[in-house]
Amino acid sequence: MLSTIRYQLQTYINTTHPRTRKIHINTVFSLFSKAGSMGVSLLLVPLTIDYLSEATYGTWVTISSMTSMLMFFDLGIGNGLRNKFAEAVSKQDRRLAQTLVSTAYGIFGIVQIGFIVLFFLFINYIPWARLLNTTIDQQQLQLVLLVMIVAMAIKLVLDILTYVLLALQESGQVNVINFLANGLVLITTYALTQFSHNKLIYLAAVTALSPILVLLVSGILFYRSRLTIYRPLVGLIDWTHARSILSLGYKFFLIQLCFIVVFYTDNLLINYLFGPVAVTTYSIAFRYFMIVNTLFGLVAVPYWSAFTEASTRNDITWMKQTCRHLYKLWLGLVGVVTLMVVFAQPVYTLWVGQRVSVPVELSSSLGLFVIITNWNLVASTVLNGLGKMRLQVYYALLTAVTNIALALFFGKFLGWGSTGVVLASVVALLWGAILGTIQMYKLLKGTASGFWNQ
């Protein structure tokens, strides 16, 4: 048996493209670490609901969504660095790669300092309790948001490490870092339940500070060992390279803003239209279906920088074969999501008991949302890797506008509630499903011209 396994492993090594083999290895690492992260996330839900209350938990989910949006307010610097850094590494220009990393840290640091100053100036003028539709007092909300937002700004700077690892096609290492951060959040949250109850500021502190600690230690270890040749240095910051990062980065940024509208404002809209309790119900179903969304992302996203490398080396054959492979995996995802919808109710009961009741139609609409999201993910992975962003910006803007308009129409006017808000996102994502897929096929066939090649 051992000889058979050894033979199959040797055959795989000899017949698989080195670029694909590296992705497969990182995907295996990612699956294990992400499985751990999802397990942590699932354990956190009932733990947090019991620590707070159903209504306060809904407010907490809304606050978390608001601060998570800040991850995308990086002016696209992270993704711009990812593409430019991958190109430099493919050309074996280590000096340029290190300069790009150093410059990205410099830009990011300045941007986040400016953002923190702006937040301090305006925090007292925003009616947070009214905005969040909650009875929690204004002073406590200000303190919670201050902790969350300042911590997120610091995390964004430290997150440059993850973009460097992704550009090197080391997504497995990124997911290990995320697992460690999530694990620390779980441990500290459990510790909170042992000596306090319903203290939102304590929960905010452990949730915000745990990832910072893990990223800080990880950065020190990586830049002193495996990434020492790319270690950021103040003396290597070159503002002339800032333009090359930002020229691509601002397009990523615009797409990220639209991504926020589709993926993160649903919580805010549901909270505003139907209250915090409705957010709790939506959040449970959303987390459940995001499991398969996350797993497919683990497989697809590592190909982003691999497509950048393949494009730099004009390896069209590999790109076409990889696209076919990804769409076969998507067909498997459709089957898995269908089963998840069928068995959703027993899973909810096993997971959160009678704490929350999720309507069948909400589960079905989220299933559709996951299916179309991951269809779009394949095309966007290819287009991002090739640096073809302009058309993506156009239909991303159309998606954002369509999503908001239809969410209000379906959710409020037609009275479909949270299900209507989700279905609005499904319809809005059709812009990318059609235009993005057409552009990808034209680029791979070499027939793209005009705006299809932008």
Side-chain angles (χ1 to χ4, degrees):
M1 183 176 179
L2 288 175
S3 60
T4 301
I5 294 173
R6 191 182 300 112
Y7 173 77
Q8 291 177 341
L9 182 60
Q10 189 62 47
T11 301
Y12 167 79
I13 292 172
N14 292 335
T15 58
T16 306
H17 193 289
R19 189 184 299 118
T20 305
R21 187 164 65 242
K22 185 175 183 179
I23 291 173
H24 288 173
I25 292 171
N26 275 277
T27 300
V28 171
F29 272 102
S30 296
L31 285 172
F32 280 106
S33 55
K34 200 65 179 183
S37 292
M38 288 189 295
V40 167
S41 180
L42 293 175
L43 290 172
L44 269 172
V45 172
L47 189 67
T48 309
I49 292 176
D50 289 342
Y51 179 72
L52 300 171
S53 65
E54 188 174 349
T56 306
Y57 178 76
T59 302
W60 167 245
V61 171
T62 305
I63 291 173
S64 298
S65 296
M66 288 175 59
T67 53
S68 294
M69 291 179 191
L70 297 178
M71 292 172 56
F72 303 99
F73 282 91
D74 63 350
L75 303 183
I77 296 168
N79 286 323
L81 169 68
R82 179 177 179 178
N83 275 35
K84 295 297 181 181
F85 181 84
E87 290 174 8
V89 172
S90 295
K91 296 174 182 177
Q92 298 184 339
D93 192 340
R94 293 180 178 178
R95 186 68 172 181
L96 174 59
Q98 187 179 17
T99 300
L100 289 169
V101 172
S102 303
T103 304
Y105 272 103
I107 302 170
F108 238 149
I110 292 172
V111 169
Q112 296 310 317
I113 289 171
F115 177 77
I116 290 172
V117 170
L118 283 174
F119 184 73
F120 269 100
L121 290 175
F122 291 102
I123 187 172
N124 292 319
Y125 300 99
I126 300 174
W128 296 108
R130 182 179 176 184
L131 180 65
L132 296 170
N133 196 15
T134 181
T135 57
I136 300 173
D137 67 270
Q138 176 81 359
Q139 187 175 6
Q140 184 181 1
L141 288 174
Q142 285 180 344
L143 185 57
V144 168
L145 284 158
L146 183 64
V147 170
M148 294 291 288
I149 288 177
V150 171
M152 183 60 70
I154 296 171
K155 180 182 179 295
L156 279 171
V157 178
L158 298 176
D159 256 336
I160 289 290
L161 170 67
T162 65
Y163 288 106
V164 172
L165 290 171
L166 288 170
L168 294 170
Q169 301 171 46
E170 296 285 355
S171 59
Q173 302 292 341
V174 174
N175 284 292
V176 169
I177 291 172
N178 291 335
F179 168 66
L180 293 174
N182 291 334
L184 186 56
V185 171
L186 177 64
I187 292 169
T188 51
T189 300
Y190 176 76
L192 284 181
T193 65
Q194 302 305 301
F195 67 84
S196 66
H197 179 69
N198 204 22
K199 297 291 185 181
L200 194 57
I201 184 59
Y202 292 171
L203 184 63
V206 299
T207 302
L209 298 178
S210 295
I212 290 177
L213 179 60
V214 172
L215 277 169
L216 187 61
V217 173
S218 299
I220 293 171
L221 293 176
F222 272 106
Y223 286 126
R224 286 185 176 180
S225 54
R226 295 179 57 191
L227 301 181
T228 186
I229 58 174
Y230 306 123
R231 184 174 59 190
L233 299 172
V234 175
L236 286 179
I237 295 177
D238 187 344
W239 300 114
T240 60
H241 287 291
R243 183 175 181 179
S244 68
I245 294 174
L246 291 171
S247 63
L248 182 60
Y250 87 89
K251 296 173 185 175
F252 281 116
F253 178 59
L254 290 175
I255 293 172
Q256 286 167 189
L257 290 179
C258 299
F259 180 89
I260 288 172
V261 171
V262 177
F263 287 85
Y264 285 88
T265 58
D266 281 1
N267 270 332
L268 300 179
L269 285 169
I270 292 170
N271 181 73
Y272 179 75
L273 295 173
F274 313 114
V277 175
V279 175
T280 300
T281 303
Y282 166 80
S283 175
I284 297 299
F286 183 80
R287 284 174 179 262
Y288 171 60
F289 283 98
M290 283 306 102
I291 293 173
V292 68
N293 202 60
T294 300
L295 290 175
F296 192 79
L298 288 177
V299 176
V301 171
Y303 283 95
W304 173 338
S305 294
F307 274 105
T308 303
E309 179 193 337
S311 176
T312 302
R313 299 180 180 181
N314 200 32
D315 193 348
I316 303 298
T317 301
W318 180 88
M319 290 193 284
K320 289 181 177 179
Q321 292 174 345
T322 300
C323 280
R324 286 194 292 268
H325 171 68
L326 289 174
Y327 278 117
K328 288 178 182 178
L329 291 177
W330 177 83
L331 287 174
L333 175 141
V334 173
V336 171
V337 171
T338 302
L339 290 174
M340 290 181 72
V341 172
V342 172
F343 294 102
Q345 295 304 319
V347 172
Y348 296 145
T349 302
L350 181 64
W351 179 18
V352 295
Q354 301 303 315
R355 298 178 181 89
V356 178
S357 177
V358 181
V360 174
E361 56 270 22
L362 180 58
S363 296
S364 300
S365 60
L366 280 166
L368 286 173
F369 176 78
V370 169
I371 288 171
I372 193 169
T373 295
N374 286 287
W375 172 273
N376 290 358
L377 179 60
V378 176
S380 64
T381 298
V382 177
L383 298 175
N384 291 345
L386 300 180
K388 303 299 182 181
M389 307 305 301
R390 181 168 294 182
L391 182 58
Q392 283 197 82
V393 170
Y394 295 154
Y395 63 71
L397 291 170
L398 287 172
T399 299
V401 172
T402 303
N403 183 72
I404 294 294
L406 290 181
L408 294 172
F409 180 71
F410 290 167
K412 192 70 174 178
F413 184 76
L414 295 182
W416 292 356
S418 300
T419 300
V421 174
V422 177
L423 287 175
S425 298
V426 171
V427 175
L429 287 169
L430 291 175
W431 288 110
I434 297 170
L435 296 176
T437 304
I438 293 173
Q439 184 183 22
M440 180 192 67
Y441 277 114
K442 284 181 174 291
L443 287 166
L444 293 179
K445 289 180 180 179
T447 58
S449 60
F451 66 90
W452 293 111
N453 195 33
Q454 297 177 352

